[in-house]
Each structure stands twice: as structure tokens, then as C-alpha cells.
């Protein structure tokens, strides 16, 4: 029996979307314009409302700002934004989780992926940069290319140039791979690092499985539906014993990589799937709308066992949902 994906649409009032002839249930509650984002529309997830209208209607450009409940096979929280508003919303989401976990645990353990990093840019602005307790942050990488840290393909370099260098996170809290090692050795050393930090409670531990329980994991998705460096049909998708595994034959360059395994990803307290661009619209549609009787896309396998998954989409990536 199908469950529900919940998603809301945020955009400037001047922007219109073409609606596909698909029936949805629209909430009677409409969001007001947010003063923080000028002319952008900001909404709360549907689960914050106690009542949902049973009236079925098609999404309509006159209902921009409305909350939509669509029948699919996964229970997901999906929000759609302009690219700029996506960065605004993601910054608040990350900052709120940072405050929550620092109060609860004394640390904030966050794992980054390449495509999500540029949307953290709002966190370096004064409103957040002066209020977040950066000394409590511990940064990890969901996956990394086995290249020098100065290499243009390095996820570390991407994060350092665009984010880490602009906020006062202590260097020893930034956990990079040993790029002097081959992929298998780099994966083993990174797993050892995770185990040490789980033992010291910098990273929380799942009481059910003993796996690391990251406070937040920021994922992106490729046009082929890959997440982290877990590619369709690759043997790494079947790894269940290791926390970190490796590839020497990735289907896109560079070929050598390390990556968190699916059990580690799915043990996270919070996962944000940040996906932008019309080139990923087919993969988004498959991940959210198609019956996953046969799991063809790694993104379909992202399903937190002890936490929450939230999708942050821009209008291009979400275009087939309408």
C-alpha cells in the first residue's frame, strides 16, 4: 500500500511552474511570505500541520506556497525551492540541528558530500557565522576521491575553499582521508578514525547496531541516481560489514575513491538529500515516485533506520514531480 511523500514549494511569486496532469492532495493551509527572504515563499513541512484537506486538486501556479501531499511508495519529506532559497533553507536547517546536538551531546558530527557543499554558503554570513559554536563541529566526508588534497577533484578542497576556510572550525576537527595511501588503505584508516571517535562519543553510536550515528549527513545525487560513491550495480552497494569501503574502478573519474557504506548512511540521525538541476529530474522522479520493487538506483536505498530523511530540491530537479 502506498504511503506519502510530503513536499512543499518555495519560489519567487514571479516564477511559474508548468503542472503535469497528476492528481495531488493540497493542504488548505497556505504559508505567508517570509520577511527573512524578501519575496520568497517559505513553508513548514506538512507534518507540522494537524489537518490536511481531503480535497483532491491539481497543483496550480495560483497555489505557489501551498503544501502538497502525493501518493508514492516512500514516506519522504520533500521541499522544492529556487536555488537561492534552497541555500537559505538549508542553512537554517543545518544551524538548527547544530544547536540541538551541541546542547544534547556537546558535539555536532556532520558528514559532507561534494554536491551539497556549495549550498552551505549562507552559513558563512554573519547571522550564522557569529552565532554557531564552530568549535563543537566535527566534519567528515561521506565519500572522497583518492587524490591529493590540493587536487581540483578533491572533495576536501571543494569544502575548504567554499566553506571550511571561512569559519573557525578547529583544524583537528576536520577529518580528512590519508591521501598518501591507496584507496583500500585510505578506507581502512578512515574507518579506524570513525571507530576512535565513536568510542569517545564525538560521533554518537547506534544502540541497536553499534554503527556510527552521524548527527547530519548531507548527500547529493548524480543523474544516474548514485549517492556518495555508491554507483548503480556496483559491488559496494552490497557491503554490509565495513563502515567505509573503497573503489578502484568508479564509473566516473577519478576511479579511486572511498565511501561510507549504506548501513552507515542509513544509521544517521538526519539525512538531507540536496539535489539540483533538471539533468537529475528523471532520477529524482524514480527515487520518489516509482515503485521500488527492484532497486535500480542507490538513492532508493537511502532510508534512515533511526532518523529522518529530508529532500531539498530546486525546481529543475523536481520538474518531473509536477
Amino acid at each position: 500500500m502506498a504511503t506519502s511523500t510530503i513536499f512543499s514549494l518555495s519560489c519567487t511569486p514571479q516564477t511559474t511552474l508548468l503542472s503535469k496532469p497528476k492528481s495531488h492532495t493540497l493542504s488548505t493551509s497556505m504559508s505567508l511570505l517570509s520577511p527573512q527572504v524578501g519575496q520568497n515563499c517559505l513553508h513548514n513541512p506538512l507534518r507540522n500541520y494537524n489537518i490536511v484537506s481531503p480535497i483532491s486538486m491539481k497543483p496550480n501556479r495560483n497555489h505557489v506556497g501551498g503544501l502538497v501531499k502525493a501518493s508514492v511508495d516512500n514516506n519522504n519529506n520533500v521541499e522544492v525551492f529556487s536555488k537561492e532559497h534552497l541555500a537559505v533553507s538549508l542553512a537554517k536547517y543545518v544551524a538548527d540541528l547544530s544547536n540541538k546536538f551541541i546542547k544534547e551531546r556537546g558535539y555536532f558530527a556532520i558528514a559532507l558530500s561534494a554536491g551539497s557543499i556549495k549550498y552551505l554558503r549562507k552559513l558563512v554570513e554573519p547571522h550564522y557565522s557569529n552565532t554557531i559554536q564552530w568549535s563543537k563541529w566535527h566534519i567528515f566526508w561521506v565519500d572522497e576521491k583518492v587524490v591529493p588534497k590540493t587536487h581540483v577533484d578533491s572533495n576536501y578542497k571543494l569544502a575548504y575553499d567554499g566553506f571550511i576556510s571561512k569559519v573557525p572550525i578547529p583544524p583537528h576537527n576536520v577529518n580528512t582521508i590519508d591521501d598518501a595511501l591507496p584507496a583500500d588503505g585510505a578506507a581502512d584508516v578512515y574507518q579506524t578514525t570513525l571507530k576512535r571517535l565513536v568510542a569517545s562519543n564525538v560521533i554518537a553510536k547506534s544502540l541497536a547496531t553499534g554503527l556510527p550515528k552521524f548527527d547530519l549527513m548531507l548527500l547529493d545525487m548524480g543523474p544516474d541516481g548514485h549517492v556518495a560513491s555508491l554507483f548503480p550495480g556496483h559491488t559496494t552497494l552490497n557491503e554490509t560489514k565495513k563502515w567505509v569501503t573503497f573503489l578502484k574502478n568508479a564509473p566516473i573519474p577519478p576511479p579511486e575513491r572511498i565511501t561510507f557504506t549504506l548501513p552507515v548512511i542509513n544509521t544517521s540521525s538526519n539525512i538531507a538529500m540536496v539535489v539540483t538541476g533538471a539533468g537529475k529530474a528523471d532520477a529524482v522522479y524514480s527515487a520518489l515516485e516509482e515503485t521500488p520493487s527492484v532497486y535500480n538506483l542507490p538513492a532508493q536505498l537511502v532510508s534512515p533506520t533511526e532518523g529522518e530523511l529530508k529532500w531539498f530540491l530546486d525546481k529543475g530537479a523536481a520538474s518531473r514531480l509536477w
Side-chain angles (χ1 to χ4, degrees):
M1 180 176 178
T3 54
S4 297
T5 284
I6 299 168
F7 61 94
S8 60
L9 172 66
S10 297
C11 64
T12 57
Q14 292 86 353
T15 304
T16 58
L17 290 176
L18 296 178
S19 300
K20 294 192 176 182
K22 186 175 183 180
S23 180
H24 298 277
T25 302
L26 186 66
S27 168
T28 55
S29 300
M30 305 294 286
S31 300
L32 298 177
L33 291 178
S34 169
Q36 290 85 0
V37 291
Q39 294 298 310
N40 286 327
C41 304
L42 179 65
H43 352 251
N44 297 316
L46 188 61
R47 58 191 169 90
N48 289 342
Y49 291 87
N50 294 321
I51 300 175
V52 177
S53 169
I55 301 172
S56 178
M57 36 194 324
K58 294 179 181 179
N60 188 303
R61 68 185 65 182
N62 295 325
H63 295 285
V64 170
L67 297 173
V68 181
K69 186 177 181 182
S71 177
V72 292
D73 293 299
N74 292 313
N75 188 15
N76 291 302
N77 185 0
V78 182
E79 293 189 359
V80 182
F81 307 94
S82 68
K83 280 187 169 65
E84 183 63 17
H85 192 190
L86 189 154
V88 171
S89 182
L90 186 64
K92 184 179 186 306
Y93 171 81
V94 174
D96 287 348
L97 288 177
S98 170
N99 292 336
K100 173 182 183 292
F101 284 104
I102 289 171
K103 287 179 182 178
E104 292 177 359
R105 304 200 308 109
Y107 304 103
F108 183 53
I110 177 172
L112 307 178
S113 59
S116 65
I117 291 168
K118 62 183 176 181
Y119 294 106
L120 297 178
R121 61 182 180 270
K122 293 294 181 181
L123 289 176
V124 308
E125 296 180 358
H127 175 69
Y128 292 114
S129 64
N130 295 334
T131 57
I132 289 176
Q133 297 182 64
W134 298 109
S135 64
K136 305 295 186 181
W137 276 46
H138 290 259
I139 291 184
F140 304 83
W141 274 261
V142 178
D143 68 322
E144 179 60 286
K145 292 94 170 181
V146 183
V147 296
K149 293 180 179 65
T150 55
H151 194 280
V152 66
D153 287 329
S154 167
N155 289 350
Y156 165 78
K157 176 177 170 53
L158 181 66
Y160 182 83
D161 291 347
F163 174 57
I164 296 171
S165 63
K166 303 177 188 300
V167 292
I169 298 173
H172 60 270
N173 289 4
V174 179
N175 298 275
T176 62
I177 70 166
D178 186 341
D179 56 18
L181 297 174
D184 53 347
D188 288 344
V189 170
Y190 209 59
Q191 177 169 291
T192 299
T193 298
L194 297 188
K195 289 188 174 184
R196 173 173 56 82
L197 293 174
V198 166
S200 61
N201 201 38
V202 170
I203 306 171
K205 180 173 71 172
S206 166
L207 297 180
T209 64
L211 291 169
K213 189 177 179 72
F214 284 90
D215 301 322
L216 173 61
M217 197 167 290
L218 292 176
L219 297 179
D220 61 345
M221 182 182 69
D224 60 352
H226 84 265
V227 293
S229 282
L230 300 171
F231 295 93
H234 201 280
T235 57
T236 51
L237 287 170
N238 302 319
E239 178 59 61
T240 58
K241 295 181 179 180
K242 293 181 179 180
W243 294 5
V244 184
T245 191
F246 67 94
L247 301 81
K248 292 193 174 182
N249 58 345
I252 56 177
E256 293 202 7
R257 300 161 178 248
I258 68 104
T259 183
F260 287 174
T261 58
L262 275 169
V264 170
I265 291 173
N266 284 331
T267 304
S268 301
S269 291
N270 296 274
I271 299 175
M273 187 79 78
V274 183
V275 187
T276 61
K280 300 178 181 180
D282 287 343
V284 168
Y285 179 84
S286 294
L288 290 174
E289 294 277 0
E290 291 183 347
T291 303
S293 55
V294 177
Y295 287 96
N296 294 318
L297 302 182
Q300 292 175 302
L301 299 172
V302 176
S303 181
T305 55
E306 303 177 26
E308 295 185 357
L309 169 63
K310 182 172 182 177
W311 289 71
F312 290 80
L313 306 177
D314 74 349
K315 290 174 285 184
S319 58
R320 282 204 61 196
L321 299 178
W322 295 88

